Amino acid sequence: MRRSREEAAETRRRIVGAASKLFRGRGIGAVSVADVMGELGMTVGGFYRHFDSKEALVAEAIDVASAESLARTRALASSGRPAMDRITDLLNFYLSTGHKDNPAFGCPVPALASEVAHEGLATKEAFTLAIERLIELAGCVLPDDSAKAREQRLRMAASMVGALVLARATSNPALADELLSAVRHGLIESARASDGSEQRKATSPASRRPRPRKRPGKKP
Amino acid sequence: MRRSREEAAETRRRIVGAASKLFRGRGIGAVSVADVMGELGMTVGGFYRHFDSKEALVAEAIDVASAESLARTRALASSGRPAMDRITDLLNFYLSTGHKDNPAFGCPVPALASEVAHEGLATKEAFTLAIERLIELAGCVLPDDSAKAREQRLRMAASMVGALVLARATSNPALADELLSAVRHGLIESARASDGSEQRKATSPASRRPRPRKRPGKKP
DNA sequence: TGTACATCAGTGAACGCGCGTTCACTGATGTAC
DNA sequence: TGTACATCAGTGAACGCGCGTTCACTGATGTAC
């Protein structure tokens, strides 16, 4: 029974949304096309009206998940409050047990990282964009684009992902908490250090980008 | 055709060895029991004389891979040379493109982390031991077991794993190199800082860590 | 605006395939005497 | 030490199952006149 163009577009969106949650929650290999369609109360056949293959869905689901995750988290990171409050809020969310225990609603990067390493090019390209968004997010709380600040952002992204990935893979909840706390404290401390030095130096050597302006922190 | 006890034990060891390489190289889900046995020129049936299930093999393969990886890397980290040389050598190996491009022969933790998050208890327990070994390895180059040093080791392990996991998941080799270099530089710098304070403090004022020192800002 | 027809979103069964595991079998090894 | 037999490591085919994808079909939607 044919559907209207709007209904079809809505179905497509719902497929991607369901896939995005399922892949993050259970991994790419553990979720079948039938699982995704079943989530919408639909059968497998219809899937191929919308996508060429499972891989096409995987790539799109990663893209949508990372865009949503960035939007949600940027609300924490770039409302106009002091830099230290923003970084604290961001890390209190990203490195929380809540985030650890609910991968389906969290950042796709730690949820899928080591699995994506063995996927096809389209998936890795979507994932690369997701990594870049995570680095951009770090930039929201560690502004300044000198070479040194770029390194600091990359380190922040790597630490956050490493902590979450290890916290989720261990059977020892105490170790998981220790990992999340250690990285949270370390990043807050090193942000405080560079925040201090940032405020101290008044002259900016001809290269800097202005710090992101105040924005109403809205939730997606 | 029955084999001698020694031959059988040797077969078992070869199964685990092959599995350990294949799982790290291609992921757990992407490697079948038949793949592993095929690596030894054997057929599937014999596998179940040695293991109750694939999961039992996965757990043992992770254990053996992490023990070997620790042994190999500890050679770099704990020969009696100066602390800074040891940490530099360790990071130059762990965060190298060689390690990134050859997961089959490297540390199982970044190779399997996000996949293990969805595996059974036995696998997660073996993986927890692997994480602890990685933290122990960090302890070889960041000695001192105060609460603060424990946090520093956890952070080092998380950063290393995060960097490698992201470097392997991106389709952009330049980004991969940037990630590895940034984390390498950051860890060397923070080790240098605490190495300095270690030597400086006869009495410890129980509070601050010294700010990282000036270093030649090299681009990756 | 009304009608005839082409389009195509979604159904549900089927396709070939590879998976983890089981099983009857083989024959060398290990053991009891 | 020699012999008879039980054990069991490894074979190769088969098991049921779930996977990604295809396909003939249905009937409401969209379009051409």
Side-chain angles (χ1 to χ4, degrees):
Chain A
M1 324 105 177
R2 188 178 182 183
R3 301 300 144 83
S4 77
R5 278 197 276 271
E6 292 79 26
E7 283 175 309
E10 177 59 19
T11 297
R12 202 193 137 96
R13 251 175 269 124
R14 290 174 64 217
I15 292 173
V16 175
S20 134
K21 285 188 188 71
L22 287 171
F23 289 145
R24 280 178 284 170
R26 290 160 36 193
I28 296 168
V31 172
S32 68
V33 172
D35 288 337
V36 174
M37 298 306 282
E39 197 76 3
L40 320 191
M42 288 176 62
T43 56
V44 259
F47 173 78
Y48 292 88
R49 294 279 162 203
H50 297 286
F51 298 91
D52 283 343
S53 63
K54 185 186 178 184
E55 178 167 20
L57 174 64
V58 170
E60 195 161 328
I62 287 173
D63 181 51
V64 165
S66 84
E68 278 179 8
S69 180
L70 175 65
R72 195 176 345 112
T73 325
R74 211 202 312 245
L76 291 175
S78 63
S79 44
R81 291 162 307 128
M84 284 315 300
D85 291 2
R86 282 151 39 208
I87 194 171
T88 301
D89 285 358
L90 173 62
L91 293 172
N92 280 346
F93 160 71
Y94 201 96
L95 297 173
S96 65
T97 52
H99 191 194
K100 183 200 86 182
D101 293 332
N102 295 283
F105 302 95
C107 179
V109 176
L112 303 174
S114 62
E115 213 175 344
V116 166
H118 311 111
E119 297 285 326
L121 184 59
T123 303
K124 292 180 93 168
E125 284 176 345
F127 200 82
T128 299
L129 179 57
I131 296 173
E132 280 161 357
R133 284 180 176 139
L134 195 57
I135 295 166
E136 185 193 327
L137 182 69
C140 290
V141 291
L142 303 172
D144 176 18
D145 57 4
S146 68
K148 203 136 200 183
R150 167 78 176 167
E151 275 205 355
Q152 199 179 347
R153 275 181 235 148
L154 292 167
R155 283 199 298 270
M156 178 166 168
S159 302
M160 286 163 64
V161 170
L164 213 48
V165 141
L166 293 180
R168 283 176 178 161
T170 180
S171 57
N172 178 350
L175 178 59
D177 287 348
E178 266 196 306
L179 281 159
L180 296 175
S181 296
V183 171
R184 196 166 59 232
H185 296 160
L187 287 174
I188 287 175
E189 184 155 341
S190 79
R192 181 171 292 138
S194 64
D195 186 57
S197 73
E198 191 72 15
Q199 292 180 330
R200 231 172 294 116
K201 71 173 164 193
T203 62
S204 97
S207 66
R208 302 292 174 271
R209 214 199 299 156
R211 187 157 294 129
R213 230 86 47 69
K214 180 181 163 65
R215 280 177 76 270
K218 71 180 62 168
K219 231 178 178 173
Chain B
M1 326 103 175
R2 189 178 180 181
R3 302 300 144 84
S4 75
R5 276 198 278 268
E6 292 78 26
E7 283 176 308
E10 177 59 21
T11 298
R12 201 193 140 98
R13 251 174 268 123
R14 291 174 63 215
I15 293 173
V16 175
S20 135
K21 285 187 190 71
L22 287 171
F23 289 145
R24 281 178 283 170
R26 292 162 33 195
I28 296 168
V31 172
S32 68
V33 172
D35 288 337
V36 174
M37 297 306 283
E39 197 76 4
L40 321 192
M42 288 175 62
T43 56
V44 258
F47 173 78
Y48 292 89
R49 294 278 164 202
H50 297 286
F51 298 92
D52 283 342
S53 63
K54 183 186 179 184
E55 179 168 20
L57 174 62
V58 170
E60 196 161 327
I62 287 173
D63 181 50
V64 165
S66 85
E68 278 179 8
S69 180
L70 174 65
R72 195 173 350 109
T73 325
R74 213 207 303 250
L76 292 175
S78 63
S79 44
R81 292 162 306 130
M84 284 315 300
D85 290 2
R86 279 150 43 207
I87 195 170
T88 301
D89 286 357
L90 173 62
L91 293 172
N92 281 347
F93 160 70
Y94 201 96
L95 297 173
S96 65
T97 52
H99 191 193
K100 184 201 87 182
D101 292 333
N102 296 283
F105 301 95
C107 179
V109 176
L112 303 174
S114 64
E115 212 175 345
V116 165
H118 311 112
E119 297 285 325
L121 183 58
T123 302
K124 292 180 91 169
E125 286 176 343
F127 200 81
T128 299
L129 179 57
I131 296 173
E132 281 161 356
R133 284 179 175 140
L134 194 58
I135 295 166
E136 186 194 326
L137 182 68
C140 290
V141 291
L142 302 171
D144 175 19
D145 56 4
S146 67
K148 200 123 207 196
R150 166 79 177 166
E151 275 204 356
Q152 201 180 344
R153 275 180 235 151
L154 292 166
R155 283 199 299 271
M156 178 166 167
S159 302
M160 286 162 64
V161 170
L164 211 49
V165 141
L166 294 180
R168 283 175 178 160
T170 181
S171 57
N172 178 350
L175 178 60
D177 287 348
E178 267 196 304
L179 282 158
L180 296 176
S181 297
V183 171
R184 196 166 59 231
H185 296 160
L187 287 174
I188 288 175
E189 185 154 343
S190 80
R192 180 169 291 137
S194 64
D195 186 56
S197 77
E198 193 75 12
Q199 292 180 327
R200 226 174 298 115
K201 74 173 168 197
T203 62
S204 101
S207 61
R208 293 294 170 273
R209 213 198 303 158
R211 185 153 294 130
R213 227 93 42 72
K214 179 182 165 66
R215 278 180 78 274
K218 70 179 62 166
K219 230 179 180 172

